[in-house]
Amino acid sequence: MKQVAALELRSVDLQSSRNNKAHHTQEMGLRRLIVRRGQPFTLQLHFNRPFHCGTDHITFVAETGPAPTKLSGTRATFGLTQARQGNAWSASDFTIDSNSLFVSLFTPASAVIGPYTLKIDISQGQGYSMTHPVGTFILLFNPWSAEDDVYLPSEILLREYIMMDYGFVHKGHEQFITSWPWNYGQFEEDIIDICFEILNKSLYFLENPSKDYSQRNDVVYICRVVSAMINSNDDNGVLQGNWGEDYSRGVSPLEWNGSVAILRQWSARGGQPVKYGQCWVFAAVMCTVMRCLGVPTRVVSNFRSAHNVDGNLTIDTYYDRNAEMLSTQKRDKVWNFHVWNECWMIRKDLPPGFNGWQVLDPTPQQTSSGLFCCGPASVKAIREGEIHLPYDTPFVYAEVNADEVIWLFGDGQAQEILAHNTSSIGKKISTKLVGSDQRQDITSSYKYPEGSPEERSVFMKASRKMLGSRRASSPFLDLLGSEGFRDQPALLRLHLTRTPEWGQDLLLTLHAKRVPHRAHPRGPLRLEVRFCAQALLHKGGTRQPLWRQIVHLNLDFGEEIQWPLLLPYNNYRNKLTDEKLIRVSGIAEVEGTGRSILVLKDISLEPPHLSIEVSERAEVGKPLRVHITLTNTRTVALSHCTMVLEGSGLIHGQVSNDLGTLVAGHTIQIQLDLYPFKAGPRQLQVLISSNEVKEIKGYKDVFVAAARPS
């Protein structure tokens, strides 16, 4: 009987193009195999002779990590079978065509994510066995698979929270919310490799590589690792935070257009933290990493966000009699806004009912299990006050629900409560609206309507859990849950008379109205109102006063007075931070009563506006004409202007130009051609920065048509 030649592997076709399209990874490129767990993919193995089912035995071996073992889930061996074997590694549904074997490989929806090597062992009978390398592939989470913990059953939401590679970060102030364009760029070809590089530089990996890899099947674990690695407080994380004003050793957080440049710089410099980031930069970069790994993710902004370190659910702020906001040694602050992430997942570690969106916050604020990371905290748990559920739920609950207490301070002590605000924290919680450039308000997913019985009930439940035995020992806590604790004889409001633009005088009006009440005398009310303006810092503090004024008012019973106020440009010129925020505060002393009334107004100064126009049709490989126009409508020149353009699928990396000085009243026009290299919806981000104004931003949505056949 003629002996059959030993089966030998001659070549392999990983069918990357076909598989990547089926697994929604084609945007990452078609040259290498990138697949999602819980979904089959096909290979073609070409041998020296036809494969014989009865006598040829093939065993597949898939391995990931530094020391793969079956026990840790980083090594899988599986033979060739006719039908798939449930939710387990399998090779099945094979067909034989001459010397080729077409086979479908299936990875379980609970498999470890990461780069894998694939081999086959070929044996005939009991003896001869030979191992052949097949190739490598990258395995990602699969939100399209109902078996995966990140399953999101909506194609529209998947298009937004996985496939969309640009978006917006909402910044500014609750009354002046601005939408900042951001290039996530999660499908740029090297970003997937940088994402796994991030995991491999984490303290968990460095401490115990095998254990770390064995837990990479768990989305909760991956989220916590990434949350810790985006900041550099414990490790060689991606970004170094800087909330000062000196960015001379790096890039101002305001001058980033997207995540790609940050991630590439971090990788190219061997994991040295990139300088500098603040909350929106940390969150936007984490969004890039999580979407790239296959976890539905969005960026969320919380306006007037409490940073409640001592866990007492109140933030104390102090003013003196001249209406100056005082600095304090306490770390508790109300941030103008704070930005974090939400990731979508099933929480098998929690009781039923807490799946869905989970808060992850990569900004280093406080430690969690010894590292600077935060979350995942269930948004539903935050809404219901179930703050005992992991992870870091009390901290996030306080960010959106803490009470604000404003004190009048004098003679070395707090003298009077000026305001106790139960609804001033956690305002206009915002994210990008699905399929739109608009902002979506998602405050109602975090809390019941302010002042409603449900909201106060949840607050009392959470405060009992957070404060425990401390609650009984603090008389001030009797204020918690109480509605306004006293009536004021007059109502004061500050309004802007016109749009506040940087470089121009600011016009305000004080509205003072006598409040009719039987507890107040009916005669004229004499008020001395002391005003103070200070630069407002992002983390809630202020700089030294830049403007003061005193106003005397006589209010008759039922009377309303409007008093104009002028804050000249020269007073705030060179006194503001790059974010151009001013707090105007006033304290009115009511003559003969010893009582004080507080009035506050935060002002966000608008920068000059950019105009961006593009030619009507955009097509892959064809020039796309871009016109950018900036008019300096202010009274002062903008010096050392630089322009940076970015946009995944439109530009490889960035395009930078020095523009020189833009004189007051003059216009600068830039014209250039781009050559789009990816079809579909794209976004061009433009940043013009100067010494005087750091963030003049604009964007243009562009739909790029596929290249026409030649």
Side-chain angles (χ1 to χ4, degrees), residues 513-694:
K513 184 178 182 181
R514 184 75 184 274
V515 178
H517 196 281
R518 63 176 177 271
H520 304 145
R522 296 185 66 88
L525 198 68
R526 298 171 71 86
L527 302 177
E528 181 182 77
V529 193
R530 294 174 180 266
F531 288 102
C532 176
Q534 295 166 274
L536 190 58
L537 309 178
H538 173 64
K539 291 174 78 170
T542 52
R543 285 181 169 174
Q544 291 298 308
L546 53 86
W547 171 84
R548 293 186 189 274
Q549 190 164 328
I550 299 176
V551 172
H552 292 91
L553 300 176
N554 286 321
L555 273 177
D556 281 327
F557 199 72
E559 184 183 10
E560 182 172 349
I561 291 176
Q562 296 185 12
W563 192 280
L565 297 167
L566 172 70
L567 202 168
Y569 167 63
N570 282 338
N571 280 67
Y572 69 79
R573 183 178 187 173
N574 304 325
K575 301 277 180 65
L576 304 184
T577 70
D578 289 340
E579 291 190 74
K580 304 284 188 275
L581 279 167
I582 297 174
R583 170 161 294 173
V584 178
S585 42
I587 291 181
E589 288 195 11
V590 184
E591 191 177 276
T593 67
R595 294 175 65 174
S596 304
I597 305 171
L598 175 72
V599 61
L600 296 175
K601 183 71 175 178
D602 290 344
I603 302 170
S604 176
L605 302 183
E606 290 203 7
H609 293 281
L610 275 177
S611 166
I612 307 166
E613 297 298 330
V614 298
S615 47
E616 282 185 18
R617 179 178 166 81
E619 184 181 326
V620 169
K622 296 287 176 66
L624 175 67
R625 179 61 53 91
V626 179
H627 294 271
I628 299 163
T629 307
L630 173 65
T631 300
N632 182 2
T633 56
R634 307 307 187 253
T635 57
V636 292
L638 301 176
S639 59
H640 294 98
C641 294
T642 59
M643 179 181 72
V644 178
L645 277 70
E646 198 166 318
S648 286
L650 298 173
I651 298 168
H652 291 285
Q654 296 176 320
V655 172
S656 300
N657 276 333
D658 286 327
L659 306 178
T661 296
L662 182 54
V663 176
H666 284 224
T667 297
I668 192 166
Q669 293 191 334
I670 302 110
Q671 187 172 295
L672 70 162
D673 286 341
L674 303 179
Y675 290 83
F677 53 93
K678 281 186 179 180
R682 303 289 159 197
Q683 188 186 76
L684 175 66
Q685 295 98 13
V686 180
L687 168 71
I688 294 181
S689 186
S690 69
N691 286 356
E692 292 74 20
V693 183
K694 290 293 179 205

Side-chain angles (χ1 to χ4, degrees), residues 110-323:
S110 56
V112 166
I113 65 161
Y116 279 80
T117 59
L118 187 64
K119 299 178 287 190
I120 56 170
D121 288 335
I122 302 174
S123 63
Q124 289 167 289
Q126 297 299 311
Y128 178 81
S129 175
M130 189 75 179
T131 300
H132 296 268
V134 172
T136 61
F137 65 94
I138 293 173
L139 191 63
L140 303 176
F141 291 109
N142 191 353
W144 281 268
S145 167
E147 304 300 315
D148 201 305
D149 285 350
V150 300
Y151 176 54
L152 181 58
S154 163
E155 193 62 42
I156 292 169
L157 296 184
L158 287 165
R159 201 177 304 138
E160 181 73 46
Y161 298 131
I162 291 286
M163 302 304 294
M164 186 66 77
D165 61 2
Y166 60 86
F168 297 92
V169 179
H170 297 101
K171 296 178 65 225
H173 184 272
E174 60 164 316
Q175 302 299 334
F176 316 95
I177 296 174
T178 55
S179 299
W180 257 42
W182 192 271
N183 180 36
Y184 295 123
Q186 68 266 32
F187 300 128
E188 298 286 320
E189 285 202 20
D190 53 343
I191 296 300
I192 182 72
D193 304 300
I194 297 172
C195 290
F196 288 111
E197 198 181 328
I198 288 170
L199 297 182
N200 289 346
K201 283 206 163 51
S202 82
L203 293 181
Y204 294 103
F205 176 82
L206 297 174
E207 194 175 286
N208 190 333
S210 297
K211 183 184 178 186
D212 171 70
Y213 255 84
S214 72
Q215 293 177 274
R216 292 189 184 182
N217 64 325
D218 179 4
V219 64
V220 171
Y221 178 78
I222 292 287
C223 281
R224 281 182 67 75
V225 170
V226 173
S227 170
M229 279 300 297
I230 296 298
N231 70 72
S232 61
N233 281 39
D234 314 286
D235 41 45
N236 283 332
V238 175
L239 279 157
Q240 181 175 324
N242 185 342
W243 285 269
E245 285 298 302
D246 181 8
Y247 305 120
S248 57
R249 295 177 178 271
V251 175
S252 162
L254 295 168
E255 294 184 49
W256 296 112
N257 264 344
S259 308
V260 177
I262 293 168
L263 290 166
R264 284 177 174 163
Q265 181 180 319
W266 176 81
S267 177
R269 296 183 181 178
Q272 287 299 306
V274 176
K275 299 174 181 178
Y276 294 102
Q278 288 181 12
C279 62
W280 67 91
V281 187
F282 290 116
V285 172
M286 182 160 180
C287 184
T288 296
V289 173
M290 298 314 296
R291 285 187 185 180
C292 186
L293 295 177
V295 181
T297 304
R298 61 189 186 183
V299 172
V300 173
S301 298
N302 176 39
F303 290 88
R304 291 193 53 78
S305 185
H307 182 74
N308 186 213
V309 178
D310 58 17
N312 68 354
L313 280 177
T314 60
I315 306 290
D316 297 310
T317 310
Y318 301 90
Y319 288 83
D320 68 13
R321 293 198 176 276
N322 294 316

Side-chain angles (χ1 to χ4, degrees), residues 375-409:
S378 163
V379 173
K380 287 181 182 173
I382 295 161
R383 189 173 196 255
E384 300 301 332
E386 301 295 349
I387 58 170
H388 60 288
L389 297 176
Y391 292 84
D392 310 303
T393 311
F395 186 78
V396 183
Y397 179 87
E399 286 183 302
V400 299
N401 282 298
D403 281 6
E404 181 183 27
V405 182
I406 302 176
W407 300 83
L408 182 64
F409 194 86

Side-chain angles (χ1 to χ4, degrees), residues 75-131:
R75 186 176 197 268
T77 59
F78 47 100
L80 202 56
T81 56
Q82 278 294 348
R84 203 166 87 201
Q85 308 293 305
N87 189 27
W89 288 88
S90 63
S92 61
D93 303 320
F94 62 89
T95 56
I96 301 165
D97 180 10
S98 183
N99 288 6
S100 289
L101 178 71
F102 293 87
V103 62
S104 173
L105 264 60
F106 180 81
T107 63
S110 56
V112 166
I113 65 161
Y116 279 80
T117 59
L118 187 64
K119 299 178 287 190
I120 56 170
D121 288 335
I122 302 174
S123 63
Q124 289 167 289
Q126 297 299 311
Y128 178 81
S129 175
M130 189 75 179
T131 300

